[in-house]
């Protein structure tokens, strides 16, 4: 499912003393099956942007086309849109409310008008894909650990079987093990179910590893977009807007400065490793090393 | 959505009214409200209008924001005008049918009542628009201090008030977030009959209560960690002390009150 955003503008608190231009003139295209990393400093407008994509916030001007249809045209069903574009909020475990995990995951599919059996089927599938084992199904969501809660909440959105899955900082506040688990599950959904993924984060390391394309936002507008390699080549500009390239980018630039002919655009640790090994094997070393 | 609701609708600006001691503003508002019911004559209204106009001008708050508060009491205003207009005995101006008629006294009363109510609302909104909720509770705490002698827990009441006020925007934001999150899962808060709608609120209320308790718990711990033990021996970072401008303001109130009383007495004699 493709999403096209045209000249989108949004102002917070219109008509009050606290007017803030949250989004200005956003133009973006997101293709079917892409894995997008959406990066930006706090307050750069990334959370506002993703809330537009499933119609929770309505733009002041501009248009959004989902599969070629303008979501702001009369008679467009927002409910259907929300089934197609699943949005997982920051700290999604804070929205758990049911008596047990399983019924909480059923909440979404039931709102879509599915019967209890169908909803249960989808909930089971969703819980399996986030890797939550069956013994937790009948437990209260408040008895789970942080990572488990988070996964249960993500399953709650997955159970609606969206074509596009948007996750707002899904790793925030988790320990390294929890982070890796969540990220791996998301990557698997992308690979196996061909979901279009939009991952919001400010950790470059995390997005660099998984995303096909990065979109960098600053003060309500899109600053850079492109493959991680392209975006990280602007590492000096990224620093100016309060972000940074992955540490490996800095290492590669340092090595290059010292005279090693390494690939400075390597975006991940494994790419960098290849490049460094290649450089060492060819034996071309700077003077005095 | 919910974010648009303004409670404790402070309007930041750099004005004399903003800088006044909150106690002055509390007393001033009280004086103004009482003055509105002191006079019966037309000239009294002129005095009140001039006074209000000057304060609005000084406060640098756009009139639009003052009038916003009127929206909430519009129905009440309409009721009072209609009842006064049609149901007051006196000299008939315009008969409609039966006992329903517009009288001279009715018209007079309706107009005066409407002006009073509008001024009442504008007068109080000036106070809330130019004073942060924290300043207001500070002013209340200091203003009510004499009540401590009769064992009223003034400090505790003020602390509870400021905590409650501080939590309003946080909880509103939280509600907004939870609502959006549940809407993203297909929840519907707009359709259905009353009972269905009430039931649809559960997915909002449960997470909201949990988060409120969690926040309250965290705050209590954070306060204890910083050795909070009630108001005994507690000093203020910014103690409220009357400055020259506050004294001038008190003087202005006295002059205003005397003017209103004077105007009222003169017009009664005439």
């Amino acid at each position: 499912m493709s999403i096209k955003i045209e000249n989108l503008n949004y102002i917070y608190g219109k008509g009050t003393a606290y007017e803030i231009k949250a989004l200005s003139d956003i133009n973006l295209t997101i293709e079917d099956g892409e894995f997008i990393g959406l990066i930006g400093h706090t307050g750069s407008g990334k959370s506002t942007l993703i809330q537009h994509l499933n119609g929770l916030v309505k733009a002041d001007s501009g248009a959004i086309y989902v599969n070629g249809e303008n979501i702001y045209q009369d008679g467009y069903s927002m409910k259907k849109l929300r089934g197609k574009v699943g949005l997982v909020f920051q700290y999604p475990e804070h929205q758990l409310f049911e008596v047990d995990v399983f019924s909480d995951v059923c909440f979404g599919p039931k709102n879509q008008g599915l019967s209890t059996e169908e909803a249960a089927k989808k909930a089971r599938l969703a819980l399996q894909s986030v890797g939550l084992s069956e013994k937790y199904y009948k437990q209260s969501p408040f008895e789970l650990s942080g990572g488990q809660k988070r996964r249960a909440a993500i399953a709650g959105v997955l159970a609606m079987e969206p074509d596009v899955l948007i996750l707002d900082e899904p790793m925030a506040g988790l320990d390294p093990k929890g982070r890796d688990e969540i990220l791996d599950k998301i990557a698997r959904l992308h690979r196996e179910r061909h979901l279009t993924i939009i991952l919001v984060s400010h950790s470059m390391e995390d997005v660099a590893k998984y995303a096909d394309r990065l979109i960098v936002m600053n003060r309500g507008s899109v600053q850079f977009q492109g493959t991680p390699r392209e975006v990280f080549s602007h590492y000096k500009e990224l620093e100016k807007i309060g972000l940074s390239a992955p540490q490996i980018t800095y290492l590669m630039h340092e090595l290059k400065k010292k005279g090693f002919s390494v690939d400075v655009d390597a975006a991940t640790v494994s790419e960098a490793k290849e490049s460094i090994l290649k450089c060492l094997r060819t034996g071309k070393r700077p003077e005095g090393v | 959505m919910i974010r648009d609701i303004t409670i404790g609708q402070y309007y930041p600006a750099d004005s004399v009214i903003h800088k006044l001691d909150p106690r002055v503003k509390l007393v001033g508002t009280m004086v103004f409200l009482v003055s509105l019911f002191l006079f019966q004559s037309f000239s009294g209204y002129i005095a009140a209008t001039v006074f209000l106009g000057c304060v609005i001008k000084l406060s640098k708050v756009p009139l639009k924001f003052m009038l916003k508060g009127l929206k909430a009491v519009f129905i009440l205003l309409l009721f009072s005008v209609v009842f006064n207009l049609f149901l007051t005995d006196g000299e008939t101006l315009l008969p409609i049918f039966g006992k329903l008629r517009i009288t001279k006294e009715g018209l007079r009363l309706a107009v005066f009542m409407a002006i009073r109510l509008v001024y009442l609302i504008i007068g109080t909104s000036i106070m809330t628009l130019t004073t942060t909720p924290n300043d207001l509770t500070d002013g209340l705490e200091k203003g009510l201090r004499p009540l401590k002698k009769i064992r009223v827990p003034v400090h505790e009441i003020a602390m509870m008030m400021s905590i409650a006020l501080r939590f309003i925007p946080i909880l509103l934001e939280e509600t907004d977030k939870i609502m959006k999150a549940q809407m993203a899962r297909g929840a519907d808060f707009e359709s259905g009959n009353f009972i269905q709608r009430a039931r649809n609120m559960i997915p909002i209320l449960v997470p909201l209560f949990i988060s409120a308790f969690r926040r309250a718990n965290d705050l209590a711990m954070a306060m204890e960690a910083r050795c909070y033990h009630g108001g005994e021996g507690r000093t203020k970072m910014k103690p409220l002390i009357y400055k020259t401008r506050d004294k001038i303001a008190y003087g202005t109130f006295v002059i205003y009150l005397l003017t209103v009383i004077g105007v009222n007495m003169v017009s009664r004699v005439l």
Side-chain angles (χ1 to χ4, degrees):
Chain A
M1 205 163 74
S2 70
I3 299 176
K4 197 163 175 241
I5 304 169
E6 273 182 9
N7 305 324
L8 203 72
N9 282 289
Y10 181 71
I11 298 164
Y12 260 126
K14 213 174 183 181
T16 68
Y18 305 96
E19 239 179 54
I20 298 168
K21 187 141 202 205
L23 294 177
S24 60
D25 235 10
I26 305 272
N27 284 290
L28 281 175
T29 310
I30 291 156
E31 300 295 344
D32 189 30
E34 263 193 305
F35 196 127
I36 303 268
L38 184 60
I39 311 172
H41 203 254
T42 317
S44 61
K46 40 189 195 337
S47 296
T48 314
L49 177 65
I50 56 170
Q51 287 177 26
H52 279 81
L53 296 183
N54 72 348
L56 283 174
V57 178
K58 195 177 180 303
D60 289 311
S61 68
I64 297 174
Y65 298 92
V66 174
N67 269 348
E69 272 186 284
N70 187 348
I71 65 165
Y72 294 138
Q73 76 197 12
D74 285 336
Y76 192 90
S77 166
M78 284 297 170
K79 211 166 173 177
K80 260 201 177 135
L81 174 68
R82 284 170 197 156
K84 281 192 262 177
V85 181
L87 175 56
V88 179
F89 274 82
Q90 240 176 76
Y91 298 102
E93 61 272 24
H94 290 175
Q95 28 162 304
L96 299 169
F97 68 96
E98 274 283 11
V99 283
D100 61 61
V101 173
F102 196 74
S103 15
D104 202 281
V105 178
C106 285
F107 180 67
K110 270 191 188 155
N111 284 330
Q112 287 177 307
L114 297 179
S115 68
T116 315
E117 293 89 63
E118 276 175 288
K121 219 171 99 192
K122 292 199 171 180
R124 202 169 285 277
L125 214 66
L127 281 164
Q128 276 163 11
S129 56
V130 296
L132 215 57
S133 74
E134 202 143 335
K135 65 178 175 196
Y136 299 117
Y137 288 9
K138 288 294 157 201
Q139 272 188 34
S140 161
F142 305 106
E143 288 167 0
L144 304 183
S145 76
Q148 289 166 337
K149 267 190 211 171
R150 177 97 26 119
R151 277 187 275 162
I154 293 175
V157 174
L158 270 181
M160 296 169 73
E161 299 193 333
D163 297 322
V164 180
L165 185 64
I166 307 174
L167 301 114
D168 194 350
E169 307 240 7
M171 301 83 79
L174 292 184
D175 53 30
K177 187 166 162 267
R179 293 169 74 95
D180 287 346
E181 275 173 2
I182 298 257
L183 274 173
D184 281 345
K185 295 287 179 299
I186 294 166
R188 235 178 69 196
L189 284 167
H190 174 66
R191 246 187 356 254
E192 289 169 7
R193 291 221 221 140
H194 306 289
L195 283 182
T196 308
I197 307 266
I198 302 176
L199 183 66
V200 178
S201 173
H202 44 228
S203 160
M204 295 287 179
E205 266 89 358
D206 291 335
V207 268
K209 210 157 127 199
Y210 298 98
D212 306 322
R213 194 151 67 93
L214 297 187
I215 297 169
V216 180
M217 292 194 61
N218 183 35
R219 294 188 177 187
S221 52
V222 175
Q223 192 96 359
F224 303 110
Q225 53 172 319
T227 61
R229 282 165 159 266
E230 284 162 13
V231 169
F232 295 151
S233 67
H234 299 285
Y235 73 109
K236 286 257 161 66
E237 287 103 315
L238 286 174
E239 273 176 18
K240 264 183 216 143
I241 58 174
L243 297 166
S244 61
Q247 283 177 337
I248 199 73
T249 306
Y250 292 95
L251 176 70
M252 297 305 264
H253 278 275
E254 277 304 308
L255 284 173
K256 182 100 187 176
K257 235 194 262 168
K258 293 259 150 87
F260 292 94
S261 63
V262 291
D263 175 16
V264 287
D265 289 337
T268 61
V269 176
S270 53
E271 273 175 42
K273 187 181 106 191
E274 290 301 315
S275 166
I276 293 171
L277 282 177
K278 210 176 107 197
C279 167
L280 291 178
R281 271 195 211 110
T282 52
K284 267 189 263 164
R285 295 179 190 207
E287 299 281 315
V289 178
Chain B
M1 240 195 295
I2 278 187
R3 201 189 288 264
D4 298 332
I5 300 170
T6 46
I7 292 181
Q9 30 162 358
Y10 178 66
Y11 182 91
D14 182 30
S15 81
V16 189
I17 308 287
H18 281 77
K19 280 186 207 137
L20 282 181
D21 191 296
R23 286 171 292 175
V24 177
K25 284 186 261 190
L26 278 167
V27 172
T29 310
M30 220 79 96
V31 167
F32 182 70
L33 298 191
V34 170
S35 81
L36 283 180
F37 292 90
L38 272 182
F39 47 76
Q40 263 85 44
S41 67
F42 187 67
S43 37
Y45 284 94
I46 295 176
T49 310
V50 170
F51 181 71
L52 197 61
C54 290
V55 176
I56 290 174
K57 190 86 196 135
L58 278 175
S59 73
K60 291 186 188 165
V61 179
L63 195 65
K64 195 172 75 180
F65 286 92
M66 315 244 166
L67 300 180
K68 243 186 206 166
L70 288 179
K71 259 190 229 157
V73 288
F74 182 72
I75 302 285
L76 186 73
L77 200 65
L78 205 70
F79 262 104
S80 108
V81 167
V82 168
F83 276 107
N84 277 312
L85 197 58
F86 293 114
L87 299 175
T88 312
D89 283 328
E91 194 182 327
T92 309
L93 275 184
L94 186 75
I96 297 169
F97 75 84
K99 283 199 102 177
L100 219 57
R101 65 202 191 287
I102 295 176
T103 63
K104 197 176 162 192
E105 283 76 8
L107 188 65
R108 196 186 136 97
L109 215 59
V111 171
F112 280 8
M113 209 55 203
I115 294 178
R116 264 182 197 160
L117 274 174
V118 169
Y119 282 12
L120 206 103
I121 301 295
I122 294 180
T124 38
S125 17
I126 288 177
M127 181 175 72
T128 51
L129 281 166
T130 61
T131 323
T132 61
N134 274 338
D135 276 349
L136 217 55
T137 40
D138 265 3
L140 267 180
E141 184 182 352
K142 192 134 188 200
L144 295 178
R145 195 170 280 177
L147 290 182
K148 247 188 181 166
K149 294 215 177 73
I150 52 166
R151 297 222 173 153
V152 179
V154 176
H155 169 81
E156 280 70 18
I157 291 172
M159 180 58 89
M160 281 194 271
M161 253 180 81
S162 56
I163 289 174
L165 284 169
R166 190 185 160 282
F167 266 71
I168 288 173
I170 292 174
L171 287 182
L172 276 178
E173 205 171 296
E174 191 88 22
T175 314
D176 192 46
K177 227 170 73 190
I178 295 168
M179 247 172 114
K180 277 183 179 163
Q182 305 299 23
M183 273 159 80
R185 292 211 279 164
D188 183 2
F189 303 115
E190 270 121 39
S191 56
N193 61 32
F194 181 73
I195 295 172
Q196 268 169 333
R197 271 198 217 192
R199 194 178 299 148
N200 288 348
M201 294 307 274
I202 295 174
I204 301 178
L205 291 180
V206 172
L208 189 65
F209 271 106
I210 290 167
S211 105
F213 279 117
R214 193 183 51 229
R215 279 176 198 283
N217 222 346
D218 287 352
L219 182 69
M221 261 203 271
M223 282 168 83
E224 288 212 315
R226 286 182 282 170
C227 304
Y228 178 76
H229 57 92
E232 214 51 58
R234 192 175 163 80
T235 54
K236 292 244 175 233
M237 186 168 145
K238 290 179 189 156
L240 292 175
I241 296 163
Y242 285 126
K243 300 209 177 69
T244 321
R245 58 167 170 262
D246 300 314
K247 285 167 195 159
I248 294 172
Y250 273 130
T252 319
F253 295 147
V254 173
I255 294 169
Y256 165 69
L257 209 56
L258 289 178
T259 314
V260 170
I261 293 168
V263 163
N264 200 35
M265 266 157 55
V266 169
S267 62
R268 205 175 283 171
V269 173
L270 288 178

